[in-house]
Amino acid sequence: MTLEDHKAGAAAPSAAAVDASIAAASSAVLDYRKPDGHWVFELEADATIPAEYVLLRHYLAEPIDTVLEGKIANYLRRIQNENGGWSLFYGHEFDMSASVKAYFALKMIGDSPDAPHMKKAREEMLRRGGAIKSNVFTRIMLALFGVVTWRAAPMMPVEIMLLPRWFPIHLTKISYWARTVIVPLLVLMNKKPRARNPLGVGIDELFLEDPKSIGMTAKAPHQSQLWFTGFNLLDKVLRVVDPLFPKAPRQRAIDKAVAFVTERLNGVDGLGAIFPAMANTVMMYDLLGYPKDHPHYVLARQSIENLLVIKDDEAYCQPCVSPIWDTALTAHAMIEVGGEKEVASAKAALDWLKPKQVLDVEGDWIEKRPGVRPGGWAFQYNNAHYPDLDDTAVVVMAMDRARGTLNAGTKYDESIARGREWIDGLQSKDGGWAAFDADNLEYYLNNIPFSDHGALLDPPTEDVTARCVSMLAQLGETVKTSEALARGVEYLRRRQLPDGSWFGRWGVNYIYGTWSVLCALNAAGVDHADPVMAKAADWLIAIQNSDGGWGEDGNSYRLDYRGYERADSTASQTAWATLALMAAGKVDHPATQRGIAYLIQFQGKDGLWSEPQYTGGGFPRVFYLRYHGYSKFFPLWALARYRNLRNTNSRFVGIGM
């Protein structure tokens, strides 16, 4: 019997096995619930964030917390690769910037450069060309510590704050995350402070040349030579004329940057509710002479502490937290399970989510969409200036399900209406939706020297568009009655790749994108026999692993991607694939049955799944995320969906996700 014959003849998991798996997983997930009814799971990135946390403390010359630093050092040593370096995600080979920062932090904590793990790390970095290969953000950090000069980083005049909106470079033309990181950074790059660094630690040994001699970064692979050359010439001009800039306008620019940050300080949740922006805010306030007990400094500094995950032997710093996302998705899973405890937990979760809706703050998105009323939800506990469409769509769909399944009546009607209105208003001109803004399509900006990461923009993406289409369709709109929905569906049809898959911007990767889009097209009424759906389902079936699961890693984001490359199966990606196949009408297909069997087979004794892989996206090729909740609620959701559909005659998924 061939492997294909075995696949075709795979027996469906027994109803008893499915029920037992659901019960165990549901009980385990319920145990993670917070007392007020919400969920928030750990959100782990790579070595850079905990390393930067350590370096920030030494930059500020804060009292050394030997216990905390010891735990962070344990974490950094544990995630070091066999080759001596550090990577961007589980299984990734090496990243220079992550390695430089991790080494610097460990040396700052007290690890001897002669220790075997430090020697191995240093040798690997030097073998790969040394720390000169670091990215722009790492070079700025090294300039702040005096390891390199500011010639190694691009010019970013603080006068950017004063440019008119029509100018090719303007804050409204870049993404929210870039905006919040850059504004306080402009002040730092203008005044060029030096870290206090009381221990006097440096890392000259990571360079093959005198670190003070290095200049600007080379062109990044994603950048156009023509555009990069032009911006590089502009950089050289700015360096010459910078000393000649008038002092009065420069001070106005600094004042405007400070006002921008202070207006969006966001309490103890921090500027933009993301670590890099928070850290830059603290350094900016410190540079400007704010006393340590100044309310703004206190809030900015505390926001960073709130990101720490401290365990018995290890600690690390999260890039941000994800309570709205975690709670909304887990509520969907609990609604799908449908038991008494699960229904009660979903109701409590939605009641927790309801007041988190942003109804009274016109965030930065208003610049592109004046007149649109606020109505979104953020990703974090609080981030009123920066709600996102993905979270909003998922929350609205959960609340809409509660109106029927949970007998919520009209309780959430106003919340749903405002969320729907806001998403309608944020559709981009190409028919798609982005995460935080509309029509952020100034692609030329990814060619400026500062954008070697290639993530300066927030354009529409397939996965977020799919979520918005799913929401509109679940709320009763059709391609015939809704122009927004019709344009969204057409965008998704247009963006399908030749192999049948869709790109996944915020989850890894084509499995995530294809799951998102198949759910949306199904909800929008696209026939399962339509080539756009059939081809996608065939692609998923073709890439299923021999163990019955699905897997894909961050290498799929590389610029020379030529098609799917096999990776180890994961619980979250297997859940996405089975949910996608069910949305495509293939509940009884052997591939779906084998996927469900995989989830049952590899479920742990605690009712959950082990998943060290990073299946969340931050910035393709630069920053990846391990959502600790993904391997908990997504498999539960898939198992419950499978059981529910097998218990009906229609086999049709009648909701958006």
Side-chain angles (χ1 to χ4, degrees):
M1 180 182 287
T2 67
L3 177 61
E4 291 305 314
D5 291 334
H6 176 72
K7 288 180 180 180
S14 70
V18 174
D19 287 342
S21 182
I22 292 170
S26 177
S27 176
V29 172
L30 283 170
D31 285 344
Y32 278 87
R33 196 164 57 124
K34 299 297 181 183
D36 61 3
H38 83 282
W39 281 270
V40 59
F41 298 98
E42 292 179 41
L43 184 58
E44 186 179 1
D46 53 63
T48 59
I49 303 297
E52 287 173 9
Y53 172 83
V54 171
L55 295 171
L56 174 65
R57 294 187 66 120
H58 287 263
Y59 173 95
L60 298 167
E62 293 181 345
I64 295 176
D65 185 335
T66 55
V67 173
L68 177 59
E69 287 195 352
K71 291 183 176 184
I72 293 175
N74 289 340
Y75 173 83
L76 291 174
R77 294 186 206 107
R78 177 176 63 80
I79 65 172
Q80 186 176 11
N81 292 339
E82 283 296 319
N83 62 21
W86 282 264
S87 57
L88 297 179
F89 55 87
Y90 181 86
H92 183 232
E93 183 185 11
F94 177 86
D95 181 76
M96 182 62 75
S97 292
S99 300
V100 167
K101 289 178 179 177
Y103 179 97
F104 198 178
L106 286 172
K107 187 176 180 183
M108 193 72 78
I109 290 169
D111 284 15
S112 169
D114 297 324
H117 67 286
M118 297 289 278
K119 185 172 183 288
K120 192 174 184 181
R122 183 169 62 254
E123 289 174 350
E124 182 66 11
M125 283 183 267
L126 293 174
R127 186 181 74 82
R128 293 173 180 266
I132 193 174
K133 303 290 187 179
S134 298
N135 63 24
V136 164
F137 282 115
T138 303
R139 286 165 170 249
I140 291 171
M141 181 270 291
L142 294 176
L144 288 169
F145 276 85
V147 177
V148 300
T149 71
W150 285 96
R151 292 193 305 276
M155 279 293 294
M156 291 286 283
V158 70
E159 285 80 4
I160 287 173
M161 296 299 304
L162 303 178
L163 294 173
R165 288 180 187 168
W166 55 261
F167 200 78
I169 299 175
H170 191 268
L171 290 178
T172 61
K173 292 180 169 65
I174 60 177
S175 64
Y176 119 73
W177 56 83
R179 205 176 302 141
T180 54
V181 169
I182 285 173
V183 171
L185 188 60
L186 291 174
V187 180
L188 295 172
M189 295 181 77
N190 172 255
K191 293 187 173 292
K192 300 177 175 56
R194 176 67 66 88
R196 294 182 181 85
N197 189 12
L199 300 179
V201 175
I203 51 169
D204 286 11
E205 67 270 22
L206 298 186
F207 292 83
L208 293 170
E209 58 283 291
D210 177 1
K212 301 286 195 301
S213 71
I214 70 172
M216 277 280 291
T217 55
K219 180 184 79 67
H222 70 273
Q223 293 177 325
S224 155
Q225 185 63 60
L226 181 63
W227 275 107
F228 182 81
T229 300
F231 281 122
N232 213 26
L233 289 172
L234 176 61
D235 185 271
K236 295 180 189 301
V237 172
L238 288 172
R239 291 181 192 275
V240 173
V241 302
D242 182 68
L244 307 177
F245 281 12
K247 291 183 179 179
R250 174 153 287 180
Q251 187 58 50
R252 283 203 308 274
I254 291 172
D255 293 343
K256 191 170 182 179
V258 174
F260 176 97
V261 171
T262 302
E263 179 187 342
R264 296 161 178 77
L265 199 53
N266 198 32
V268 293
D269 293 283
L271 175 65
I274 51 175
F275 174 88
M278 298 179 197
N280 288 344
T281 297
V282 171
M283 289 188 285
M284 181 192 76
Y285 283 148
D286 173 74
L287 171 63
L288 296 176
Y290 282 52
K292 297 296 185 287
D293 60 354
H294 189 286
H296 294 159
Y297 186 94
V298 170
L299 288 173
R301 187 64 188 85
Q302 184 59 46
S303 70
I304 295 173
E305 294 300 298
N306 291 350
L307 296 177
L308 291 174
V309 174
I310 303 174
K311 302 181 179 181
D312 291 341
D313 299 317
E314 291 186 352
Y316 72 94
C317 187
Q318 302 172 103
C320 62
V321 291
S322 53
I324 305 294
W325 188 239
D326 291 339
T327 300
L329 290 169
T330 308
H332 275 279
M334 290 299 166
I335 293 171
E336 200 73 41
V337 175
E340 184 178 343
K341 289 182 179 179
E342 290 81 8
V343 166
S345 73
K347 287 179 178 178
L350 295 176
D351 288 343
W352 181 85
L353 285 166
K354 185 179 179 181
K356 297 292 183 182
Q357 188 174 24
V358 181
L359 299 171
D360 56 352
V361 176
E362 293 183 341
D364 289 4
W365 51 266
I366 200 72
E367 297 287 345
K368 292 283 184 77
R369 287 295 183 270
V372 173
R373 288 198 302 171
W377 277 265
F379 181 76
Q380 304 89 348
Y381 284 107
N382 293 294
N383 198 9
H385 279 83
Y386 306 107
D388 79 89
L389 287 89
D390 214 354
D391 279 84
T392 301
V394 171
V395 173
V396 167
M397 283 189 278
M399 288 182 167
D400 178 63
R401 294 182 72 180
R403 293 195 289 198
T405 306
L406 307 188
N407 300 313
T410 61
K411 185 176 186 179
Y412 303 116
D413 285 6
E414 180 61 23
S415 298
I416 291 169
R418 288 292 294 273
R420 175 188 200 163
E421 179 185 338
W422 185 67
I423 283 180
D424 265 336
L426 268 289
Q427 188 173 24
S428 289
K429 59 188 178 184
D430 63 1
W433 280 270
F436 300 93
D437 282 293
D439 293 332
N440 187 199
L441 303 169
E442 291 83 359
Y443 290 103
Y444 61 87
L445 288 174
N446 273 330
N447 293 287
I448 67 174
F450 183 83
S451 186
D452 64 342
H453 49 72
L456 209 61
L457 305 179
D458 177 23
T461 61
E462 294 87 330
D463 44 0
V464 179
T465 299
R467 213 83 66 220
C468 296
V469 166
S470 287
M471 183 208 74
L472 294 174
Q474 185 177 309
L475 294 179
E477 297 188 17
T478 70
V479 292
K480 293 182 179 179
T481 62
S482 167
E483 181 184 354
L485 181 63
R487 293 175 63 227
V489 169
E490 179 55 34
Y491 173 92
L492 295 175
R493 286 182 176 275
R494 204 166 58 241
R495 300 290 292 183
Q496 188 176 29
L497 296 174
D499 64 8
S501 68
W502 283 272
F503 177 72
R505 165 65 177 82
W506 297 100
V508 179
N509 174 347
Y510 297 94
I511 295 174
Y512 182 87
T514 303
W515 158 64
S516 302
V517 177
L518 281 177
C519 288
L521 296 179
N522 172 68
V526 176
D527 193 282
H528 293 162
D530 187 301
V532 73
M533 293 195 75
K535 193 173 185 180
D538 288 345
W539 178 79
L540 282 171
I541 293 165
I543 68 164
Q544 187 174 25
N545 285 336
S546 59
D547 60 9
W550 278 264
E552 190 176 12
D553 66 27
N555 289 311
S556 60
Y557 287 101
R558 66 179 186 271
L559 290 172
D560 63 347
Y561 176 78
R562 293 292 182 269
Y564 174 79
E565 293 182 1
R566 205 160 297 282
D568 290 342
S569 298
T570 71
S572 59
Q573 289 165 323
T574 300
W576 298 336
T578 53
L579 286 166
L581 289 173
M582 287 185 273
K586 298 189 179 297
V587 178
D588 299 317
H589 193 282
T592 306
Q593 295 173 355
R594 294 181 66 243
I596 295 299
Y598 170 91
L599 293 176
I600 294 172
Q601 179 184 354
F602 290 98
Q603 188 174 19
K605 292 181 179 179
D606 61 355
L608 301 174
W609 291 262
S610 175
E611 186 170 288
Q613 291 89 345
Y614 284 45
T615 60
F619 309 125
R621 300 179 300 280
V622 178
F623 193 67
Y624 300 85
L625 296 168
R626 180 187 174 203
Y627 287 85
H628 286 221
Y630 277 14
S631 61
K632 298 175 176 64
F633 51 72
F634 276 123
L636 172 60
W637 190 342
L639 287 161
R641 171 70 52 81
Y642 177 79
R643 178 201 63 189
N644 295 344
L645 291 175
R646 294 276 292 185
N647 288 340
T648 67
N649 292 323
S650 72
R651 300 289 202 270
F652 179 75
V653 177
I655 52 177
M657 292 183 72

